[in-house]
Amino acid sequence: MMNVRRGKWDVGSKGKVSGLFALLCALHFSLFTCDTLAQGIRDRIRGDRDRPTAISEAQASELTLTLTKVEVRPIQVWVRTAGTGTGQVLRAAIRPEDAKFIKPDQRVRAFPPEHRSTMYQARVTQIVPGDGRAEVVVTLVAPGLKGSSRYVLEIVTEHGDLLSVPNEAIIETGDKRVVYVQGSEGSYTPREVELGVQGELFTEVVKGLMAGEQVVTFGSFFIDADHKLKGL
Amino acid sequence: MRNLIRRNIVAGFVAAATLATMAVGLEAQGVKIADPTSVVMIVNRDSNDIAFMDIKTHKIVGSVFLGNNVNPHMVMMSPDGRYVVTGGTRANKAYIIDTKTLQLVKTIPVDIAPEHLAFSPDSRWYYQGNPDGDSISVIDMQSLSKIKTIPGFVEPLNVTFLPDGSKAYVGNYGAHWVGVVDVRRHELIKKIQIAEVPGVAKLDPSKYLGEIHGINIAMPSPDGKYLYAADGTLGIVGVIDPREDKVVKHIRVGKDPWRIYMGHDGKYAITPNNGDETISIIDLKTNSVAATLEAGPNMTGVNFAQGKAFVISSTSGFVYVYDMNSLKPAGRIKMGTNIQLETATTDTKEEKLYLAESTNHEVLIIDAKTNAVERVGHVGLYPWGTHIMDSKDNYCH
């Protein structure tokens, strides 16, 4: 048993050289082959990103596949911050870039942390600009929760009408943002997009899409997975 | 001095012109409601429309006709203020209205007899209950399309979401369980039995099926720690812990509780008990009945304002008032004779109640402080319910 095991290595010096040569050759071959193979798998996984993936009607139903039109629509950004104060007046810090979109008398939703399912309506009474940090003063329209001086504030800011897609349509792959665009019936092509303002439900598209195109929202992740699995 | 006056006059003209231009601009863009919090929405069952009444002037500023034989049931505004939605009970459709322009932007076929509805806290999902279809239609508010119908309910009446939007709870009026829906997958994942059903119903369920007064709604407590579900037939309120989705306590209340209504301060909740014409006031700290008080027949709603509870007795023409500090009756307000009171909403200042009255096609505005009543007529035919954005008392029958 020992002899058999040693057999391959238990040779003379000439044999040792030739053995070493054979080992190096084998190692080189295996590395080369592995590299080629690995490249092949990666290529297969990455595939041709521009080719569409086809989804059957049954799959679409299973995935509850939903399409939404790329169109110009109002984008809302919900500014969330922590407000503190006494009585009905609360103060909160906000980013100066958010302050630009907050208007006096604007509606604010206030939630005491201890009463998470109760919402108190408030209004913006003042916006105090500042370098690096701005402040917003809000007033609850009715007396707040007794004994509570802290509130989570939600301020819905309007960023205007912009060409946009639902947030759910966007897939982040590395530093790229991709959406799946409907081509012919049942086929979807990935397309890289450049994004602008990110709202609560919709995100502005600066580049990569045109108004009227249909993008996949609910189910885009599954299509992406399918696209990669098929190696398209 | 003269220059200063002239300058002021010029500045005044410029400001007026700017305001006028802005107003014209808004009108040109078709903006009818600039501030979604400025209106009371009225759902008119027989004129098949949603009317919008200005809160300050009490004037109807617009209405949206939905179509013939629609019979809208409940109206609600999305938390972001962008859309107003309703379910058309006879048309088996959901209707989506753009708040700013008051344009009917989408009509979506749902299941049979859509009535009550709810939005997920982020305005993303609109769950439409279909009591006769025993299902919930899931409407995606991004694509404005129905993405799923969740089956398996028994006369689903009301849907409530957890504050984090992860789960929704469905009251089944034709059964004694609350359905738990996973909002990520839109699937019914659990049935929480509120209590054991009476033995007689077990022996012959078909005989008693039509007589079940089950669960109208599973209402979250203001702190979001528990949900409370009143069961009409069993005369109890089940307290559900949403962490485990288990009933942790039973509270016996009066006969045939319609549903539970949460007080705004988180101290008390009320069940109007139509079986014995009483109300049960539940202490939310101890989860026990703090008081049982006499009330009226056929109660359809409870509103809270100014430290009082206002209980609507639909067929008697009275609104019963209770002091929520002393937990004692504080009189009743006569709204009229031979009238049918429906449901009401409370404004966000908690000063006034807006009560739909269907016989005379009017909305009755109750001053919560003085109990004085103002009538606003000609709001549409058969006003069925009212809704104000961010109100803590937005409900339906």
Side-chain angles (χ1 to χ4, degrees):
Chain A
M1 191 70 180
M2 279 297 280
N3 287 337
V4 175
R5 208 181 265 179
R6 288 176 64 211
K8 202 175 175 185
W9 302 98
D10 196 11
V11 288
S13 60
K14 202 177 170 185
K16 269 181 194 169
V17 172
S18 62
L20 189 64
F21 180 73
L23 180 69
L24 283 170
C25 283
L27 189 65
H28 178 261
F29 176 75
S30 71
L31 278 174
F32 176 75
T33 318
C34 283
D35 191 45
T36 315
L37 274 176
Q39 191 61 48
I41 291 166
R42 264 212 307 276
D43 281 347
R44 195 164 64 80
I45 291 170
R46 288 168 71 195
D48 177 2
R49 301 289 295 178
D50 293 335
R51 277 179 62 191
T53 186
I55 297 290
S56 70
E57 221 168 276
Q59 280 176 311
S61 161
E62 181 79 9
L63 303 175
T64 54
L65 192 73
T66 312
L67 297 170
T68 305
K69 217 184 240 180
V70 181
E71 61 184 4
V72 176
R73 48 167 82 82
I75 294 198
Q76 294 178 332
V77 175
W78 292 24
V79 177
R80 293 185 175 87
T81 180
T84 53
T86 49
Q88 286 175 232
V89 179
L90 307 168
R91 288 171 180 277
I94 49 168
R95 297 184 313 158
E97 52 266 43
D98 290 331
K100 283 188 275 181
F101 294 95
I102 297 174
K103 293 170 193 155
D105 202 36
Q106 178 172 350
R107 166 188 174 241
V108 179
R109 303 187 336 145
F111 301 87
E114 58 272 50
H115 270 204
R116 292 184 308 148
S117 62
T118 307
M119 194 263 289
Y120 291 82
Q121 198 187 74
R123 295 269 171 193
V124 173
T125 39
Q126 201 187 348
I127 302 136
V128 187
D131 286 339
R133 201 184 88 140
E135 193 182 54
V136 65
V137 183
V138 306
T139 308
L140 298 167
V141 297
L145 182 68
K146 238 181 200 172
S148 184
S149 58
R150 294 175 302 132
Y151 289 81
V152 174
L153 305 179
E154 273 183 2
I155 310 170
V156 179
T157 59
E158 303 278 351
H159 284 243
D161 292 349
L162 303 164
L163 189 73
S164 57
V165 291
N167 296 347
E168 232 160 50
I170 301 156
I171 297 171
E172 297 189 7
T173 54
D175 54 355
K176 289 179 184 172
R177 308 285 181 272
V178 171
V179 295
Y180 277 83
V181 185
Q182 191 187 34
S184 55
E185 195 63 34
S187 80
Y188 305 92
T189 317
R191 197 177 301 168
E192 200 179 326
V193 286
E194 210 173 285
L195 304 172
V197 179
Q198 192 184 345
E200 189 72 11
L201 293 181
F202 300 96
T203 297
E204 182 194 4
V205 180
V206 180
K207 208 172 153 188
L209 287 170
M210 285 194 321
E213 286 185 298
Q214 295 271 6
V215 293
V216 180
T217 56
F218 204 66
S220 60
F221 176 75
F222 301 101
I223 288 193
D224 191 49
D226 193 70
H227 188 78
K228 283 174 179 165
L229 276 172
K230 282 179 182 166
L232 291 168
Chain B
M1 186 65 184
R2 203 176 281 169
N3 269 349
L4 188 66
I5 291 167
R6 197 178 297 157
R7 211 176 293 157
N8 278 344
I9 289 169
V10 170
F13 272 120
V14 170
T18 312
L19 282 173
T21 314
M22 275 170 68
V24 169
L26 283 177
E27 215 160 280
Q29 286 166 25
V31 175
K32 290 192 174 149
I33 292 174
D35 177 7
T37 63
S38 67
V39 287
V40 182
M41 283 147 273
I42 304 156
V43 58
N44 292 312
R45 200 189 69 175
D46 288 0
S47 51
N48 301 305
D49 64 74
I50 307 295
F52 293 80
M53 181 170 79
D54 188 274
I55 288 182
K56 278 183 188 155
T57 63
H58 298 163
K59 294 238 162 73
I60 301 293
V61 291
S63 74
V64 180
F65 179 63
L66 304 165
N68 292 322
N69 302 318
V70 167
N71 284 182
H73 189 95
M74 181 186 188
V75 66
M76 192 175 270
M77 190 179 275
S78 58
D80 60 9
R82 187 174 284 188
Y83 297 111
V84 172
V85 302
T86 187
T89 309
R90 278 183 76 180
N92 300 333
K93 284 174 186 162
Y95 296 82
I96 302 176
I97 298 163
D98 184 278
T99 311
K100 266 187 190 164
T101 60
L102 295 189
Q103 294 286 314
L104 181 62
V105 288
K106 197 86 189 243
T107 303
I108 301 166
V110 288
D111 209 341
I112 306 167
E115 287 186 5
H116 304 131
L117 56 103
F119 276 100
S120 60
D122 60 359
S123 301
R124 178 78 171 86
W125 307 108
Y126 154 25
Y127 273 28
Q128 175 66 62
N130 310 299
D132 288 5
D134 294 332
S135 68
I136 300 287
S137 299
V138 181
I139 294 169
D140 171 13
M141 292 306 286
Q142 283 182 340
S143 61
L144 298 187
S145 60
K146 184 181 78 178
I147 63 151
K148 203 166 185 179
T149 302
I150 312 171
F153 300 98
V154 188
E155 209 182 334
L157 268 203
N158 276 291
V159 185
T160 48
F161 283 85
L162 284 185
D164 65 4
S166 60
K167 287 188 282 186
Y169 292 81
V170 181
N172 294 273
Y173 202 62
H176 303 286
W177 52 268
V178 171
V180 186
V181 175
D182 177 349
V183 177
R184 273 176 306 176
R185 292 184 290 150
H186 308 292
E187 268 174 30
L188 176 62
I189 52 169
K190 194 170 180 179
K191 295 177 179 180
I192 307 170
Q193 192 76 23
I194 289 304
E196 275 294 303
V197 290
V200 69
K202 270 186 185 165
L203 289 172
D204 189 358
S206 61
K207 190 177 172 187
Y208 294 93
L209 206 61
E211 294 170 19
I212 289 177
H213 288 188
I215 296 149
N216 184 318
I217 190 168
M219 193 76 187
S221 57
D223 62 9
K225 280 184 186 159
Y226 299 107
L227 289 118
Y228 292 76
D231 187 298
T233 306
L234 305 176
I236 55 159
V237 170
V239 184
I240 299 167
D241 183 343
R243 286 172 303 181
E244 294 180 56
D245 287 332
K246 271 185 185 169
V247 174
V248 291
K249 192 168 180 183
H250 291 117
I251 306 165
R252 184 147 294 280
V253 291
K255 275 186 188 163
D256 196 6
W258 169 232
R259 55 163 276 183
I260 194 159
Y261 297 85
M262 288 289 158
H264 302 173
D265 58 4
K267 283 184 189 164
Y268 300 107
I270 289 179
T271 60
N273 312 310
N274 283 321
D276 56 14
E277 297 183 3
T278 62
I279 61 161
S280 300
I281 303 178
I282 296 168
D283 184 328
L284 295 175
K285 230 177 207 172
T286 60
N287 281 337
S288 59
V289 174
T292 303
L293 304 170
E294 278 185 28
N298 301 314
M299 292 170 278
T300 50
V302 181
N303 291 57
F304 298 88
Q306 302 287 323
K308 301 178 207 171
F310 297 82
V311 179
I312 301 157
S313 166
S314 68
T315 51
S316 71
F318 283 102
V319 169
Y320 289 76
V321 187
Y322 301 89
D323 185 320
M324 291 308 288
N325 293 314
S326 63
L327 304 188
K328 284 185 175 158
R332 58 184 189 172
I333 312 167
K334 185 165 181 168
M335 310 304 289
T337 46
N338 297 323
I339 57 168
Q340 175 93 14
L341 303 175
E342 303 299 346
T343 57
T345 185
T346 312
D347 65 9
T348 51
K349 290 182 181 170
E350 299 183 15
E351 289 172 350
K352 285 177 180 165
L353 277 61
Y354 295 79
L355 170 59
E357 190 272 289
S358 55
T359 314
N360 298 311
H361 317 294
E362 59 188 0
V363 166
L364 307 170
I365 304 170
I366 304 169
D367 186 315
K369 213 170 197 178
T370 63
N371 293 357
V373 179
E374 183 190 339
R375 288 166 193 278
V376 178
H378 308 294
V379 296
L381 295 179
Y382 214 93
W384 186 249
T386 54
H387 179 96
I388 293 176
M389 188 188 202
D390 298 342
S391 165
K392 294 188 188 76
D393 294 326
N394 279 327
Y395 62 89
C396 192
H397 295 77

